[in-house]
Amino acid sequence: MSGPFVFPVRDIAHRAGEMREFDVEVPAPAKWGEGLVYVAQGEPVQLRVRLESVHEGILVTTEVDTTYRGVCGRCLEDIDRPVEVEFQELFGYPGTEATDFEVQDDHVDLETPVRDSIVLSLPFQPVCQPDCPGLDPVTGEKLAAGTVPETPIDERWAALKALTPDQDDVAARRLASDTEKS
Ligand SMILES: [Zn+2]
């Protein structure tokens, strides 16, 4: 078996203490992510992989760098952003203690942990900029940065506002009561 996410461990398997490192760029084999943003199929994915032979199997430490794209959750403008994650997984030897991943024959296949770590790091509410004001609720146009859409005051709150005395009234009443006391 081979593939861009498959790394050989033949020369380090069952030799605790041995280590191999790989630095590769591979294309994402499929679209990763189902939300507003995703890693597109074919997007270059940088992998810095360290394979360490340990007693139970192969300890895999991987830094992943790629780019996600999609749309801003507020203004729907196209965005693309770098995303970087690091994960560590133990690939156990078959028949030993249960691990999520296993060494297969003479290799480890990192596609699933790479994909999962990237997908988990994608934002649910991506924004084109931290203070993206979104769309004007009336015109549907993108608002200029820094503006806050004017929300009409809720009628229930308007009624409450009528019950709240003006600060002038409060001051006047306090003055009146002070005069009574003296
Ligand atoms: Zn935006």
Side-chain angles (χ1 to χ4, degrees):
M1 184 186 166
S2 66
F5 293 87
V6 171
F7 292 86
V9 297
R10 191 186 297 119
D11 53 347
I12 62 169
H14 302 289
R15 291 182 191 172
E18 290 288 318
M19 185 180 86
R20 292 289 180 275
E21 287 180 307
F22 299 90
D23 213 335
V24 295
E25 183 183 297
V26 298
K31 180 185 171 188
W32 287 342
E34 299 294 331
L36 288 171
V37 291
Y38 54 88
V39 174
Q41 182 174 12
E43 187 74 49
V45 181
Q46 305 269 359
L47 299 175
R48 268 182 299 284
V49 180
R50 192 167 73 222
L51 307 176
E52 290 170 84
S53 187
V54 295
H55 181 69
E56 308 86 351
I58 304 293
L59 184 63
V60 178
T61 309
T62 305
E63 278 174 55
V64 188
D65 275 287
T66 186
T67 302
Y68 67 75
R69 48 190 81 246
V71 294
C72 170
R74 294 186 198 155
C75 72
L76 306 180
E77 198 159 89
D78 287 345
I79 51 175
D80 58 87
R81 292 278 183 284
V83 55
E84 187 182 327
V85 291
E86 186 175 336
F87 68 86
Q88 193 168 63
E89 285 286 351
L90 176 66
F91 281 64
Y93 293 124
T96 57
E97 207 175 318
T99 51
D100 287 346
F101 301 100
E102 273 194 351
V103 175
Q104 297 160 24
D105 303 327
D106 56 358
H107 64 262
V108 289
D109 183 352
L110 306 189
E111 183 173 335
T112 301
V114 168
R115 183 198 60 214
D116 290 354
S117 61
I118 286 288
V119 169
L120 284 174
S121 73
L122 295 177
F124 287 113
Q125 310 265 335
V127 285
C128 60
Q129 58 192 70
D131 61 347
C132 172
L135 300 175
D136 187 300
V138 179
T139 65
E141 296 289 315
K142 189 184 174 184
L143 292 163
T147 53
V148 178
E150 195 163 316
T151 33
I153 190 158
D154 190 301
E155 272 177 45
R156 288 165 298 178
W157 296 114
L160 196 62
K161 193 163 186 274
L163 294 175
T164 313
D166 282 350
Q167 284 305 304
D168 285 353
D169 287 353
V170 174
R173 232 174 286 152
R174 189 177 298 141
L175 194 66
S177 75
D178 283 352
T179 318
E180 277 168 33
K181 268 185 235 159
S182 58

